[in-house]
């Protein structure tokens, strides 16, 4: 039994739909999300065919071209199914697939499901949406926020099953150990913003917890669509922990190594969390901004001084000064800077009143 899940996936019908047309695959090294389109249960047929085709065609050593070919094959199979009377004309599916080998990630993608990578610099989108609003955002015609509320936000410009010659985008990503890969349908990213996704991914202790937290966030936000989420911890090889050797010391060594890795991964997660946070504190009578978290954790300091400001604690309200003595934790550096700006304003307003 492993204490921490290296990968996990789950899907939920959501709160507004009668059935789930999403499908997903969690068979390391292969992971995929498909969001079926077409309604009347045809979407379910299309997404299931896409996932099944990948499972059959992709090998652990497949390269980018093999992966793209498997996606093309899935497209052809959906068309064949329609001609055989399974599903119905016009059915289709998105497909976002990732082949994860150590820190090397291959992605093939069609539609508006997404792959994200949480790395040392935060959350990055790996894929570009094949959607009307996605293209308008890239052209600068719409903002990300306008796209979220656009009436045509669900119009997809590329999907499997729609044309005989669908070409997937492929990406090769070199991740770092401790990074987290996220695959999801638009039932997640249509309901919650990227910064919320990032926050949840950063805080979750493992892949299983991340998947559960992301799903419930999408449902809390309204759950207007089927939602599917896969999270993979990069750099952890989910190989069988049972040693084949009967020798006890070898098994013990394995457990020791596993425990070390576990502690290492937990430290890394804490470190990643810490470096995105910020706090302000009174240091020598001056408000000082830090990245990280105040105090120390298991004897390790997780903070980096960012700025010694020109705001003197003595000029602030005594209650604020008292809080500053302890340090005030904030979500990120931007929030910390905002707070300092507020202090500055308070000080300058105070000085115009009292000569
Ligand atoms: Mn959807």
């Amino acid at each position: 039994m492993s204490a921490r899940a290296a990968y996990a996936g789950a899907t939920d019908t959501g709160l507004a739909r009668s059935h789930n047309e999403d499908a997903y695959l969690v068979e390391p090294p292969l992971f995929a999300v498909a969001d079926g389109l077409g309604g009347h249960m045809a979407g379910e047929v299309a997404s299931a065919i896409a996932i099944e085709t990948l499972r059959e065609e992709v090998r652990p050593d497949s390269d980018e071209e093999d992966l793209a070919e498997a996606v093309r094959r899935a497209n052809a199979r959906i068309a064949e199914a329609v001609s055989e009377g399974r599903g119905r004309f016009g059915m289709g599916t998105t497909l976002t697939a990732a082949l994860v080998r150590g820190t090397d990630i291959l992605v093939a993608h069609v539609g508006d499901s997404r792959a994200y990578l949480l790395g040392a610099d935060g959350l990055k989108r790996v894929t570009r949406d094949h959607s009307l609003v996605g293209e308008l955002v890239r052209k600068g015609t719409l903002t990300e926020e306008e796209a979220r509320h656009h009436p045509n936000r669900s119009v997809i410009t590329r999907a499997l099953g729609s044309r005989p010659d669908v070409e997937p985008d492929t990406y090769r990503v070199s991740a770092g150990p401790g990074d987290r890969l996220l695959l999801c349908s638009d039932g997640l990213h249509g309901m919650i913003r990227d910064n919320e996704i990032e926050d949840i991914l950063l805080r979750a202790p493992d892949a299983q917890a991340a998947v559960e937290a992301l799903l419930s966030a999408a449902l809390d936000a309204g759950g207007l669509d089927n939602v599917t989420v896969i999270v993979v911890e990069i750099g952890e090889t989910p190989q069988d922990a049972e040693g084949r050797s009967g020798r006890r010391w070898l098994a013990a060594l394995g457990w020791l190594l596993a425990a070390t890795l576990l502690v290492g991964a937990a430290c890394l997660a804490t470190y990643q969390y810490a470096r995105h946070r910020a706090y302000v504190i009174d240091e020598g009578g001056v408000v000082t901004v830090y990245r990280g978290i105040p105090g120390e954790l298991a004897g390790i300091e997780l903070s980096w001084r960012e700025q010694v400001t020109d705001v003197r604690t003595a000029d602030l309200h005594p209650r604020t000064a008292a809080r500053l003595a302890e340090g005030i934790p904030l979500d990120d550096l931007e929030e910390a800077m905002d707070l300092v700006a507020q202090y500055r304003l308070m000080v300058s307003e105070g000085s115009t009143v009292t000569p």
Side-chain angles (χ1 to χ4, degrees):
M1 196 184 83
S2 89
R4 290 178 73 249
Y7 57 89
T11 188
D12 196 290
T13 305
L15 307 172
R17 300 286 170 92
S18 58
H19 48 262
N20 196 343
E21 297 189 320
D22 284 4
Y24 71 102
L25 178 69
V26 177
E27 282 182 13
L30 184 62
F31 303 89
V33 167
D35 178 348
L37 321 155
H40 302 277
M41 287 184 271
E44 273 165 78
V45 177
S47 60
I49 292 171
I51 292 296
E52 197 47 44
T53 308
L54 279 194
R55 179 188 273 136
E56 287 170 19
E57 306 269 324
V58 178
R59 300 273 156 267
D61 62 345
S62 287
D63 61 14
E64 272 156 290
E65 183 42 36
D66 299 334
L67 195 57
E69 187 53 34
V71 176
R72 289 182 208 116
R73 189 80 202 99
N75 184 49
R77 287 224 191 134
I78 293 166
E80 282 163 27
V82 172
S83 66
E84 288 161 8
R86 281 191 294 141
R88 46 175 225 153
F89 183 76
M91 74 178 180
T93 186
T94 73
L95 183 61
T96 303
L99 196 52
V100 181
R101 288 178 296 231
T103 52
D104 184 39
I105 306 171
L106 291 185
V107 174
H109 166 74
V110 172
D112 70 348
S113 300
R114 285 181 188 167
Y116 290 87
L117 187 70
L118 179 77
D121 327 318
L123 188 71
K124 293 265 157 63
R125 280 188 210 169
V126 175
T127 50
R128 287 151 55 114
D129 294 351
H130 300 141
S131 67
L132 190 65
V133 292
E135 278 165 23
L136 292 175
V137 168
R138 286 197 290 279
K139 276 187 196 146
T141 315
L142 282 183
T143 65
E144 207 45 75
E145 204 48 41
E146 285 165 344
R148 298 185 70 80
H149 305 290
H150 199 279
N152 294 330
R153 63 185 176 276
S154 55
V155 175
I156 290 174
T157 49
R158 215 190 291 180
L160 296 187
S162 58
R163 293 157 42 139
D165 59 345
V166 171
E167 193 55 27
D169 289 340
T170 57
Y171 305 87
R172 178 164 217 145
V173 184
S174 184
D179 289 1
R180 284 175 166 171
L181 176 73
L182 165 68
L183 305 183
C184 64
S185 64
D186 67 335
L188 180 75
H189 63 74
M191 298 309 301
I192 62 172
R193 291 179 180 77
D194 283 11
N195 59 1
E196 198 177 343
I197 294 177
E198 179 174 22
D199 248 30
I200 294 171
L201 270 180
L202 273 170
R203 279 162 210 230
D206 68 3
Q208 184 64 43
V211 164
E212 284 165 15
L214 287 167
L215 276 186
S216 53
L219 297 180
D220 288 347
L224 298 179
D225 195 2
N226 306 145
V227 48
T228 304
V229 175
I230 295 173
V231 174
V232 185
E233 306 270 14
I234 301 303
E236 296 188 19
T237 40
Q239 268 140 18
D240 53 332
E242 306 301 324
R244 277 184 196 86
S245 162
R247 284 199 254 178
R248 261 192 177 169
W249 64 268
L250 199 61
L253 196 66
W255 281 113
L256 189 67
L257 187 67
T260 311
L261 283 176
L262 213 81
V263 170
C267 285
L268 197 67
T270 309
Y271 172 80
Q272 278 203 351
Y273 171 71
R275 57 192 291 280
H276 288 268
R277 303 272 301 179
Y279 65 94
V280 290
I281 195 162
D282 175 359
E283 212 170 62
V286 176
V287 176
T288 306
V289 178
Y290 274 85
R291 218 146 42 79
I293 45 180
E296 50 182 47
L297 210 80
I300 302 162
E301 261 189 54
L302 285 167
S303 61
W304 303 266
R305 188 190 286 126
E306 200 64 39
Q307 198 185 88
V308 180
T309 72
D310 53 358
V311 181
R312 291 188 310 138
T313 318
D315 295 338
L316 298 167
H317 191 281
R319 204 176 304 155
T320 308
R323 287 182 64 210
L324 279 165
E326 303 277 316
I328 303 173
L330 295 150
D331 277 351
D332 53 31
L333 205 55
E334 203 180 332
E335 245 182 54
M337 292 306 185
D338 281 353
L339 188 62
V340 171
Q342 275 179 41
Y343 289 163
R344 219 171 260 137
L345 202 66
M346 283 188 242
V347 171
S348 70
E349 277 170 355
S351 63
T352 53
V353 176
T354 0

